[in-house]
Amino acid sequence: MAEAAILSAVRKMADLLIDANLLQGAEEQVKLLKDELQSMQRFVRDASEKQDIEEKIGEWLSYVADVTHDADDIIDALFLKVEAAKRSIESRGELAYIPKHPYHLIAEQVELFRSKLRDFSWRLRQLSPRQIDKQLVGIDEDVEILLRKVILDNSKGLSTTSIVGPVGIGKSTLARRIYDRAVAAARFDRCVWVAVSGECTPKDVVKELALKLLDPKEEKKKLRRSLHDARFFVVIDDVGQDAQWESIASVFAIEDKGSRLMLTSRNEDIGKSVGYVHKMKTLDLNKSWELFTKKAFIDNNNNNREILKKCDGLPLAIALVGGVLWEKNPSKRKWEKVLNDINNTHLGSSTILSTILELSYRDLAPQLKSCFCCLGFFNEHVPIIRAEKLVQVWIAQGLVVPLEGIDQEETKEEIGMCYLDELINRNMVDIKDLSKDGRIKSCCIHRLIRELSITKAGNERNNGSDQRFVYSSNCQHEHINAHSLFFDGIGNSTFELLKILDFENLPLKNLPETIGLLTRLRYLGLRNTSIKSLPHSIGKLKNLEVLDIARVYKVKVGDVIREMESLRHIHAGFFYSVDRLKTDTLKNLQTLGYIYAGNLIPEQVKKMRALRKLSLFITRDLGFKGSEFFRSLATLENLVCLELKWGPPDSIQPSH
């Protein structure tokens, strides 16, 4: 309905502009309103598809329909004036003008409605669905071609495809679109995405493939045999060296049941040995403008067009510069400054992408710069980052402080999500997935943005700032006094200054008692490990805020949780204690579970006033008094999510 109203108004204004000489200067106001509505129409179309999911979008669509109908009345009034002028010309043979007084009234009303529509457009861009698939402008045809070549093709045997083109043109975005379609199609036994970095040796690439393709229960089987027995879809992203591709190709030199291998590369020569080569093209001016209007709050002026020309049709460059200009009602001075900065920085051998990347970073607030530098901590071979984990890492690093305009009553987690929203609005982080209630569930970053994050973090260190650094046991670093330790391979290291210790996805079976020495630790990640119990010394971690043992079943813990008074989140697949746990000291705890309900003391549960999410494992246990327990939950005013699982009593105790 809103889109139809806009279309009707735009058509009327186009007819009005034909008789622009009769508008006595009003044509400029009408043209601006027409441009405003056309720019907003694309957002309304996207929002209409989501209004069944988000009530707020539906409310705003109703609002814009009302405003547009009011604007339509103003346009009709202009039509009457123009028609009267035409009749005067026909009857008297002389040029008649619209009276000045009514024109001024109309101009004021037009400007008022322009302001309302711009405010609506701004708010619409703030809604979460705006970010998903924003980068797909101009690649619909590419998607259809590759779908036919890669997924819908029923030919037997291994089929290989390469997507080639310069950096920032959208190769990974296109490949991800096809990969997601392949997963959804369920035509392949296994789908795997492997990101290749410039430092990766051919052996590293093959090892990464083996880890992702092999079933953990079949570790002794050879990779070739595994590939031969299954129909797979594999994407190798950003292959840069001939040696890398040759090693990969040798692994896949097999006969199979119709598997598909796709690679992306900026090196067009690599693609020549591949069955089908898909060469991407830069966006033309119209497509560039369409993408630009999705990324920034656009006013149709010459500076916009000049900035757009500088981007050379590269989607990443357009997205980033649009992110710099995403704010509401940017001033003419802001547009001119961005254009001047691009012209002044883009000198010598500097590419337009590196220029705009630097400009995007410089435009961040100080708090956001520190958070941005943390993005490089995450393993590039795992391109999807959990939003919850990212925010909790920022908090653990002490980087989350209120920005101007943020409610001081909000939690650190809510403020951290505002930070993430800001980076998303600036197109420096992309949303990968949303939860059912529209919150950001996971995100990802472009390789160049990750490289910028690492570079800036290194600069901060060299400048003597308190920027936190990452240590990875797969790489050689000299970060002796590291504050963060992220493991993406097996290794042992202990640093007394550690604030973050993350073993996620490692085959770790035990934590040593010496873990208690890390008294400054704020984040302990044990997700998807093989941990069976937590050492008693963990109670000494007085500053620990996040204990993540999710995706680990049956983790035994002693009654030491109450000693960790700073805890804010306990994420668990299921943990339990032989004894009932005292929790009265956990005043800051917001997330708890899954935990065996029988381990909790109802009277002490009442004292966890900050609890927002509680996940319980309940058994048919005679000692568990459900009515008393759930009455205690009724006193928790901040509890917004309660999850329950049911199981037999013997599921609690570990097997002997």
Side-chain angles (χ1 to χ4, degrees), residues 287-298:
K287 291 296 183 182
S288 294
W289 183 253
E290 181 182 348
L291 180 59
F292 198 33
T293 57
K294 286 189 174 186
K295 301 294 184 179
F297 198 88
I298 298 302

Side-chain angles (χ1 to χ4, degrees), residues 471-479:
Y471 172 91
S472 167
S473 59
N474 274 351
C475 305
Q476 296 299 320
H477 291 278
E478 297 178 356
H479 301 164

